[in-house]
Amino acid sequence: MLHPDDNVLIAVASLAPGTEVSIEGRRHQLQEAVPLGHKIARWDLPAGTRILRYGAPIGSLFAAVKAGDWVHMHNLKSDYLASHTRKGRAEEQ
Amino acid sequence: MSSSAKSNPPEWRAYPRADGRKGIRNVVVVAYLVECAHHVSRRIVSQVDDLDVHLIGFPGCFPNDYASRMMRAVCTHPNVGAVLLVSLGCESMDRDALQQAIVDSGRPAELLVIQENGGTASTIAEGVRRVRQLRDTLAGAATVPMGVDELVVGTICGGSDGTSGITANPAVGRCFDALVADGAACVFEETGELIGCENIMAERAATPELGELIQASVAKAERYYRTMGFGSFAPGNADGGLTTQEEKSMGAYSKSGSSAISGLIKPGDIPPAGGLYLLDVVPDGEPRFGFPNIADNAEIVEMIACGCHLTLFTTGRGSVVGSAISPVIKICANPETYERLSEDMDINAGKILTGQASLDELGEEIYRRVFAVAGGERSLSEALGHQEFILTYKSFEPIGPACLPLRQVN
């Protein structure tokens, strides 16, 4: 955790699917791989939630996530400019 | 940072220049003035095969004030001892004015025009002869002591990932805080990669007016990138766990440390005194020439044009670039990347994630590395012969007086 207000946590090692993690005193099994440096939801969060990292907003969820879910381009988008991957613009995929 | 590092900043030997600045290197630059002279210039540099002979240039045939200003700035950079200009002959870069500006700065400057010199092979042979002569002229040049308060250091991140903002970037921030406290000028940049940080950044400005200008410069960057259709966000950033522009921005922002922001400068402006400066790299006016900076080295060149003696380059995914003119120190944020690319990485900031070092210790390691490289030790990219250089078309309005409030006070 980078800031007490944050609603996502950062993986400091690459985690395989099925890895058990403890978040806010509850155990969760990771549904998917979470590579080093990627984000995991700290709580259950509804769509539209502003995601905080470093205590600062880094975008809004466009899909609900559960605690322990991987948070990335498939559920989080910029409040400023669209991100893009090798396949195209993030929100168009 | 330990107090001993701060109370007793080191001194080293450097090359004095006529304008009062000092160089930590004494390189010969070979500069092509249009793409049509690139091949000849490259052959000259590769045949001389010397780590202190660097190839730079501007590819465009059509005139551009920004490009002319940048070429003058980098050819008269304190790390440059002498220049060979290579012209095709019909391009629009004003080669005589450029040569005169270099001569006026107290440096030897030679000019070869391919169309007047017998063609490709003849110009290469003559260029090699002239560069060897210039190297001989510079050999044994006198040096003088140089202190931290005469040093200008830039920072950039490239190939950022989810670890950059946790390890390497805040560690550079600690190093910047110590350098600024010692009186150095430190430059951070890329307003397009600070989208989302404009308000917290404005609060650190030396004056409220400067704070408003910083906010306006980020708003300009957002407008510009919106027209381009993309932010400053590459696929590798997403592979590495970054999802949005503002997430990348917050990580990038931590390179600036916690000092007050003394000024907002544009490419080619030299910081007037020690302190922390934000470099606005996004062109003014309607978007005209495409992306503000097509790749990391375009920004490094702009920081060099602002007088940066060396650049601290943080990377998570693992960039390998260096630069012409000013050495690049590579600070790797991600411990997995460091394992893969240690031959290119000067510093392993991934140690913070594996619990082998604290942010403060890493900041101090970077601080010490700055002085080692300033004192003549080669950075890894420099020793590997990395001499990337990118200069493209842009247009800027000059900065106003409110951008450098401390100069007004003095």
Side-chain angles (χ1 to χ4, degrees):
Chain A
M1 183 167 58
L2 301 178
H3 190 279
D5 294 344
D6 288 359
N7 47 18
V8 287
L9 308 170
I10 312 299
V12 298
S14 293
L15 304 171
T19 305
E20 281 226 341
V21 293
S22 173
I23 301 172
E24 298 300 320
R26 293 182 51 200
R27 302 191 75 75
H28 300 271
Q29 243 190 4
L30 295 183
Q31 300 301 306
E32 47 213 333
V34 180
L36 169 64
H38 285 240
K39 298 175 286 297
I40 299 174
R42 185 177 172 196
W43 325 98
D44 293 350
L45 300 167
T49 305
R50 277 204 138 186
I51 295 300
L52 298 179
R53 172 180 177 165
Y54 312 106
I58 60 162
S60 299
L61 288 179
F62 58 87
V65 297
K66 295 220 174 313
D69 281 356
W70 180 40
V71 175
H72 200 28
M73 328 270 301
H74 57 293
N75 47 29
L76 173 63
K77 67 177 176 59
S78 171
D79 293 329
Y80 287 80
L81 292 163
S83 302
H84 63 282
T85 68
R86 289 183 188 88
K87 297 191 182 71
R89 206 98 55 96
E91 283 109 274
E92 293 165 1
Q93 287 169 50
Chain B
M1 303 287 300
S2 77
S3 56
S4 64
K6 279 182 187 168
S7 61
N8 204 5
E11 263 193 6
W12 59 91
R13 306 294 296 182
Y15 302 93
R17 306 301 179 195
D19 63 4
R21 294 188 286 168
K22 294 171 185 169
I24 64 169
R25 297 291 184 271
N26 207 20
V27 304
V28 174
V29 150
V30 178
Y32 58 92
L33 304 184
V34 63
E35 180 60 24
C36 321
H38 190 164
H39 171 74
V40 166
S41 307
R42 182 172 49 222
R43 279 292 169 90
I44 293 169
V45 170
S46 26
Q47 286 188 22
V48 174
D49 192 22
D50 182 324
L51 281 180
D52 291 314
V53 176
H54 294 189
L55 175 66
I56 69 167
F58 177 65
C61 188
F62 305 101
N64 183 249
D65 288 343
Y66 157 83
S68 302
R69 183 168 186 240
M70 294 288 290
M71 286 296 282
R72 266 199 310 279
V74 296
C75 286
T76 58
H77 184 281
N79 288 354
V80 174
V83 180
L84 170 65
L85 301 174
V86 184
S87 159
L88 174 63
C90 44
E91 74 276 4
S92 54
M93 178 75 74
D94 187 346
R95 55 181 182 256
D96 296 323
L98 178 57
Q99 185 182 21
Q100 192 58 48
I102 302 166
V103 169
D104 291 346
S105 78
R107 291 170 175 82
E110 310 257 343
L111 170 66
L112 288 176
V113 180
I114 298 170
Q115 288 168 350
E116 297 168 4
N117 210 72
T120 298
S122 314
T123 312
I124 293 170
E126 178 62 13
V128 168
R129 202 180 64 78
R130 302 258 190 123
V131 169
R132 290 198 171 125
Q133 250 171 17
L134 291 170
R135 286 296 295 154
D136 291 344
T137 311
L138 296 184
T143 59
V144 294
M146 179 172 176
V148 190
D149 58 349
E150 298 172 289
L151 190 66
V152 187
V153 180
T155 188
I156 180 175
C157 38
S160 295
D161 71 10
T163 65
S164 301
I166 310 176
T167 60
N169 292 351
V172 165
R174 304 288 164 102
C175 173
F176 259 29
D177 288 346
L179 288 170
V180 168
D182 289 341
C186 291
V187 182
F188 71 114
E189 50 75 62
E190 182 44 314
T191 41
E193 290 176 359
L194 295 166
I195 290 170
C197 309
E198 57 275 10
N199 297 327
I200 40 176
M201 207 155 44
E203 287 169 15
R204 287 171 59 196
T207 63
E209 292 77 20
L210 176 60
E212 285 169 24
L213 288 167
I214 289 173
Q215 285 169 319
S217 75
V218 177
K220 175 181 75 170
E222 191 191 346
R223 269 197 318 276
Y224 205 102
Y225 277 105
R226 204 177 285 285
T227 309
M228 296 296 114
F230 294 112
S232 178
F233 192 95
N237 299 141
D239 298 340
L242 295 174
T243 312
T244 65
Q245 179 67 58
E246 54 268 43
E247 180 180 17
K248 180 177 172 180
S249 295
M250 282 304 300
Y253 175 64
S254 62
K255 295 197 304 302
S256 66
S258 56
S259 309
I261 299 173
S262 301
L264 176 66
I265 56 176
K266 291 183 181 175
D269 298 328
I270 313 289
L276 178 67
Y277 296 83
L278 172 62
L279 173 59
D280 176 4
V281 300
V282 175
D284 295 310
E286 287 306 302
R288 269 189 280 182
F289 301 118
F291 270 93
N293 282 315
I294 56 172
D296 294 326
N297 280 96
E299 290 157 33
I300 294 177
V301 166
E302 290 182 327
M303 289 198 293
I304 291 170
C306 294
C308 286
H309 293 95
L310 53 86
T311 300
L312 302 177
F313 190 123
T314 66
T315 182
R317 303 298 292 171
S319 171
V320 300
V321 303
S323 178
I325 298 176
S326 294
V328 169
I329 298 174
K330 212 69 63 51
I331 301 140
C332 186
N334 184 319
E336 295 177 355
T337 305
Y338 184 80
E339 288 304 311
R340 281 196 301 273
L341 293 173
S342 56
E343 66 181 49
D344 286 283
M345 300 298 159
D346 295 274
I347 288 174
N348 175 16
K351 284 189 288 190
I352 293 169
L353 285 187
T354 50
Q356 294 158 286
S358 69
L359 262 182
D360 281 340
E361 287 165 347
L362 244 301
E364 180 128 14
E365 189 179 338
I366 300 167
Y367 179 86
R368 284 196 306 269
R369 194 80 200 122
V370 164
F371 295 119
V373 171
E377 260 183 54
R378 298 219 186 257
S379 73
L380 288 181
S381 53
E382 186 183 15
L384 288 164
H386 277 285
Q387 296 178 359
E388 289 82 354
F389 185 93
I390 302 176
L391 181 58
T392 59
Y393 281 92
K394 277 190 171 185
S395 55
F396 282 98
E397 302 293 331
I399 58 169
C403 290
L404 292 171
L406 301 181
R407 179 151 69 178
Q408 284 183 301
V409 175
N410 297 340

